[in-house]
Amino acid sequence: MVAHLSDFGISKLLSEEDSMMQTQTLATIGYMALEYGKEGKVSQKGDVYSFGIMLMETFTRKKPTDEIFSEEMSLRSWVGESLCSAVMKVVDGNLVSRDDENFSRKEECLSSILSLAMECTRESPGERINIREVVSKLLKIRVNYLANIATTRGRMLYIKFELISFSF
C-alpha cells in the first residue's frame, strides 16, 4: 500500500456558489475537471470531480494517466462500463477475492464507492453532487460495510476506506 496525497485546494478561496476563471493551468492532467481544462473555470465542483477520480484510483489501483487509457477509454469510462456488468473486473485484486467470506457484501460496498465516484465525475458541474453529500454517502457506505463485514481480509478494504472517508 502506497500513500498518495491530493490537492483540492484551488477552490478553498471560493464560497459555495462562486467560481472564477484561471488563465494558467495549475492542476494535474487526469485529475482536473473538464471545465477547468477547457475553460479555466475553477469551482468547488471541480474539486469534487478530482476527488471522484482519486476514489477510482484508490480502489482500482489505476492512475488516470495509465497507459491502458487513451482518447477512447478513460479511467472514468472504464469504471463506468464495469458498474453495468462486472465491477470486480476493475477493482484492485488485493482488496477482495471471490473466495473471501462475505464476498457479495464486499462487492456491493465496492460498487457503491465506485458509483459515488461516478457521481462526483459527471461531465456537467451542475450534475455533480456537492462534497457534503459525498461525505454523507461515504459514511453510510462505511456503516453498512462495518455492520455486515468482520473478516480479516475485509480489514484491508476498511483501512483504505478509513483513509479516504476521514481525510477531510
Side-chain angles (χ1 to χ4, degrees), residues 3-18:
H4 294 272
L5 299 176
S6 299
D7 178 21
F8 307 111
I10 294 174
S11 72
K12 280 190 233 180
L13 304 174
L14 306 172
S15 70
E16 192 164 319
E17 300 301 320
D18 288 339

Side-chain angles (χ1 to χ4, degrees), residues 63-145:
K63 294 179 184 287
T65 56
D66 195 289
E67 56 191 41
I68 69 166
F69 304 122
S70 62
E71 286 187 28
E72 298 82 34
M73 177 69 74
S74 66
L75 176 61
R76 184 183 189 283
S77 62
W78 186 60
V79 169
E81 288 175 16
S82 76
L83 288 173
C84 298
S85 57
V87 73
M88 295 311 293
K89 287 184 179 180
V90 300
V91 170
D92 179 357
N94 293 316
L95 291 178
V96 65
S97 166
R98 292 198 183 277
D99 298 331
D100 285 355
E101 184 179 344
N102 298 311
F103 170 77
S104 62
R105 301 258 189 210
K106 294 175 186 179
E107 182 179 34
E108 182 182 316
C109 176
L110 291 164
S111 181
S112 296
I113 292 168
L114 292 175
S115 292
L116 176 61
M118 293 298 292
E119 287 184 67
C120 291
T121 59
R122 290 196 175 137
E123 282 193 34
S124 169
E127 294 177 3
R128 293 181 205 138
I129 63 177
N130 68 48
I131 198 64
R132 286 185 176 88
E133 292 173 294
V134 172
V135 172
S136 175
K137 287 185 176 199
L138 277 174
L139 291 173
K140 286 178 186 176
I141 294 168
R142 178 179 176 250
V143 166
N144 287 338
Y145 175 74

Side-chain angles (χ1 to χ4, degrees), residues 7-15 19-22 24-28 32-33 36 40-44 46-47 50:
D7 178 21
F8 307 111
I10 294 174
S11 72
K12 280 190 233 180
L13 304 174
L14 306 172
S15 70
S19 66
M20 64 183 242
M21 300 303 282
Q22 178 69 24
Q24 182 181 13
T25 303
L26 302 172
T28 306
M32 72 175 117
Y36 181 57
K41 187 174 181 182
V42 177
S43 70
Q44 290 180 348
D47 283 349
S50 298

